[in-house]
Amino acid sequence: MAKQIIFSGTQPLPAIGQGTWYMGEKSAQYVEEVNALRAGIDLGLTLIDTAEMYANGGAEKVVGEAISGRRDEVYLVSKVYPWNAAGPSAIQACEQSLKRLKTDYLDLYLLHWRGDIALEDTVSVMQQLVQQGKIRRWGVSNLDYADMQELWRVTGGRECATNQVLYHLASRGIEHDLLPWCQQQKMPVMAYCPLAQAGRLRSGLMNHPVLNDLAQQKGVTVAQLLLAWVIHHEGVVAIPKAGSVAHVKENALALEITLKQEEITLMEKAFPAPGRKTPLDMV
């Protein structure tokens, strides 16, 4: 059976969702992106992650079109800019996201990264949005261990449902303290850029001889291998972007891959964790 994560206390979701960063930027790709998301829903990748930042709301419009008539099938996540994360600005930002998504509620609303607004004020407005029925739960993104400790001291802060952070085989810094702590709290971690977004790191992963050999032995792609590695960790959901139906199908099949301990060891030897506290990777 495909791996599932329990979200928000009760809701089991597949350990691979759908990311939408860079969607909605080119009108020529709109139909393909909508079709890709719909194909993902058909394949059971029902968690969809987006943000007001992505293409200035363009990605949310793509998602809105993709889930039209299927809202009850998906677990919908969006994110608010840090400068919109309190008071009337947060209410307005959330309402604008809902409008673009063509829905009246979000399953999960995240603080996109930490800015100058006090965590107390963000928690307060998130609670208000829950009371208004605009969001079901709230969480954070790009918060490191010390930030999470601070959030835990805020009244209502422990209602945080997730922390979404960058995590892939070549970026393992969260394993030092953040990931074990989240696991201890039974708080799912959403891994963005699970295949590395671009540039040298992605190239280093996709072209690595150890990974290529292992993928070949298992009859899978390197991308599927990398996704399987991310989600073998307890409580971790991967949210790769997939702008085409072919990529979505490839991602969905990664749910069925089982990694043996010796295979995990081989992969981690090729890309070791830093072994000390490092700053949180962000893009």
Side-chain angles (χ1 to χ4, degrees):
M1 184 187 160
K3 187 184 173 194
Q4 292 188 317
I5 302 293
I6 301 293
F7 241 94
S8 300
T10 54
Q11 190 151 1
L13 290 166
I16 295 175
Q18 303 191 75
T20 61
W21 195 15
Y22 292 120
M23 282 192 183
E25 294 190 348
K26 295 174 182 164
S27 53
Q29 291 172 357
Y30 182 83
V31 172
E32 187 182 17
E33 289 168 350
V34 168
N35 288 340
L37 288 171
R38 285 179 179 162
I41 299 168
D42 292 340
L43 291 163
L45 306 186
T46 50
L47 185 154
I48 299 178
D49 175 79
T50 190
E52 66 172 335
M53 184 186 95
Y54 301 163
N56 291 318
E60 289 180 325
K61 288 178 181 172
V62 172
V63 175
E65 184 62 31
I67 66 171
S68 183
R70 309 185 67 172
R71 175 64 186 95
D72 57 346
E73 293 177 56
V74 302
Y75 190 87
L76 192 55
V77 185
S78 194
K79 300 186 279 293
V80 61
Y81 276 124
W83 49 87
N84 283 338
S89 297
I91 308 287
Q92 189 180 6
C94 184
E95 286 171 351
Q96 291 298 317
S97 285
L98 292 174
K99 197 173 173 182
R100 289 187 289 265
L101 290 159
K102 295 193 254 189
T103 183
D104 54 3
Y105 74 97
L106 289 168
D107 293 284
L108 192 54
Y109 198 34
L110 311 182
L111 168 66
H112 204 149
W113 66 92
R114 194 162 178 191
D116 297 329
I117 288 171
L119 290 174
E120 287 88 344
D121 296 338
T122 298
V123 172
S124 173
V125 81
M126 289 294 193
Q127 289 173 327
Q128 201 178 331
L129 287 165
V130 170
Q131 285 160 5
Q132 291 174 355
K134 294 186 173 84
I135 67 173
R136 297 271 169 91
R137 299 291 300 273
W138 63 269
V140 295
S141 179
N142 296 304
L143 263 63
D144 207 345
Y145 179 79
D147 300 305
M148 294 306 293
Q149 303 314 298
E150 191 181 330
L151 178 63
W152 240 233
R153 292 191 291 270
V154 171
T155 303
R158 296 183 183 215
E159 289 167 30
C160 176
T162 192
N163 188 7
Q164 182 180 126
V165 291
L166 186 148
Y167 187 42
H168 55 74
L169 183 62
S171 177
R172 296 175 56 198
I174 68 166
E175 293 174 21
H176 181 75
D177 53 10
L178 182 62
L179 178 58
W181 181 82
C182 290
Q183 290 169 331
Q184 194 185 341
Q185 309 305 321
K186 303 276 190 284
M187 182 198 300
V189 168
M190 295 176 74
Y192 75 82
C193 296
L195 304 175
Q197 188 61 31
R200 283 185 303 115
L201 271 184
R202 184 178 173 90
S203 177
L205 281 167
M206 294 300 175
N207 301 316
H208 198 282
V210 168
L211 301 187
N212 275 288
D213 289 351
L214 184 56
Q216 211 167 1
Q217 285 167 30
K218 291 182 77 69
V220 300
T221 66
V222 173
Q224 288 173 325
L225 196 63
L226 291 167
L227 286 175
W229 178 84
V230 168
I231 66 168
H232 96 272
H233 295 87
E234 180 200 333
V236 178
V237 182
I239 44 168
K241 180 219 166 185
S244 71
V245 173
H247 272 151
V248 168
K249 287 180 176 172
E250 187 181 335
N251 292 347
L253 286 168
L255 280 167
E256 307 298 336
I257 297 169
T258 304
L259 293 174
K260 297 175 187 155
Q261 187 52 54
E262 57 265 32
E263 293 168 336
I264 293 165
T265 303
L266 196 69
M267 292 173 75
E268 293 183 351
K269 199 175 168 188
F271 292 90
R276 58 185 163 77
K277 179 65 183 170
T278 52
L280 194 66
D281 279 343
M282 284 174 63
V283 288

